[in-house]
Amino acid sequence: MIRAHVSAERVIGLNKIQTLFRKLLWTDLTTLVLCMLLYAGQFHFWHDAFSFLGTSVTPDHRPNTLSMLLFMAGLVMSSGFVWQMSAVFRTLPCVPNARLKSRLLQMTGIGFILMMFPCNINNGIHSTGSALVFGTLWLMTVLMLQEMKKSLRNRYLLFQFFLQGTVLPYAITYITGAASKQIFQKIAVAGLTMVMSKALRLSRMLFMPSDSAVAYSAS
């Protein structure tokens, strides 16, 4: 009965993590779209950083209050979702590196809060938050892919190609200050989101107890 209870908790926990991640994605996507619509200036998708949507004023000094407040609200909600994911991982010791994943998600949550500082007021704090969010989610994705390397086989290299092939060019252009860095930002966000989403889904399938195992545990 104890083993059956543990298996049931694992199923609930893994499903909850998947649900929370979907909520995180929809929250971030909805926030960005609404902020672009409410932005007081003209937002150039490929040439402006997403961070501009959360500034207190636009580059031409127009008040950007509505977009800024919505941007902050989205960050607070995002932080809440990843902290909940962190708490769930702490209840799943049977999942590889559960404690490390919990810590990484806690750092992600802190990063979302730091990003609330508008980049036009304190870009240092805002940039630190952005780096925390992007860096910890990237590390977590790399960790999950490594855990599933044997089961993924050839797909492991494919996922690594999409992940590193989109994130590393952005990191390089950001550090060097290249004019194309904002273009690579959007590509990197899309690449990280897609690979992490797929990795979480495959990880859930891999570590989900089988029906036969649950039945045996209950007997």
Side-chain angles (χ1 to χ4, degrees):
M1 291 298 294
I2 294 177
R3 292 174 61 189
H5 178 67
V6 171
S7 295
E9 281 190 339
R10 194 197 312 181
V11 171
I12 294 172
L14 290 172
N15 285 337
K16 189 172 183 180
I17 288 171
Q18 191 71 33
T19 299
L20 287 168
F21 185 72
R22 282 198 295 265
K23 289 181 178 180
L24 173 66
L25 291 185
W26 279 110
T27 296
D28 289 345
L29 179 61
T30 303
T31 298
L32 288 176
V33 171
L34 291 178
C35 283
M36 282 187 275
L37 293 174
L38 295 173
Y39 186 63
Q42 186 174 5
F43 184 79
H44 301 279
F45 183 83
W46 291 109
H47 300 289
D48 291 338
F50 285 136
S51 298
F52 286 9
L53 299 172
T55 57
S56 57
V57 295
T58 63
D60 56 354
H61 306 293
R62 298 182 193 178
N64 189 43
T65 306
L66 284 178
S67 180
M68 180 187 69
L69 291 177
L70 180 59
F71 192 78
M72 290 180 173
L75 291 173
V76 170
M77 293 177 65
S78 297
S79 180
F81 289 137
V82 294
W83 273 93
Q84 289 180 65
M85 290 171 66
S86 170
V88 175
F89 268 117
R90 287 200 301 272
T91 68
L92 300 172
C94 52
V95 173
N97 300 299
R99 186 178 296 273
L100 176 57
K101 291 171 184 175
S102 177
R103 295 296 185 191
L104 286 173
L105 288 169
Q106 287 175 355
M107 294 175 66
T108 306
I110 293 172
F112 277 124
I113 296 301
L114 294 179
M115 284 179 66
M116 291 176 64
F117 285 84
C119 62
N120 66 311
I121 295 177
N122 196 320
N123 188 53
I125 296 178
H126 179 85
S127 296
T128 299
S130 299
L132 268 178
V133 170
F134 216 87
T136 52
L137 292 181
W138 173 79
L139 281 172
M140 186 166 173
T141 305
V142 170
L143 179 62
M144 288 189 293
L145 290 176
Q146 189 63 32
E147 292 169 354
M148 298 183 291
K149 185 175 181 179
K150 290 184 178 179
S151 60
L152 288 175
R153 298 182 182 179
N154 292 336
R155 288 185 297 171
Y156 171 80
L157 294 177
L158 181 63
F159 288 141
Q160 286 286 8
F161 173 78
F162 277 107
L163 179 64
Q164 313 305 346
T166 55
V167 172
L168 293 183
Y170 173 54
I172 293 171
T173 54
Y174 182 84
I175 292 172
T176 59
S180 58
K181 65 181 180 180
Q182 303 308 343
I183 296 176
F184 283 104
Q185 180 197 50
K186 281 69 181 182
I187 297 173
V189 169
L192 176 60
T193 299
M194 287 188 293
V195 177
M196 185 174 182
S197 179
K198 187 67 174 178
L200 271 174
R201 190 158 54 247
L202 291 173
S203 179
R204 170 179 167 272
M205 293 170 59
L206 181 63
F207 300 116
M208 185 75 77
S210 64
D211 292 340
S212 58
V214 174
Y216 172 76
S217 300
S219 62

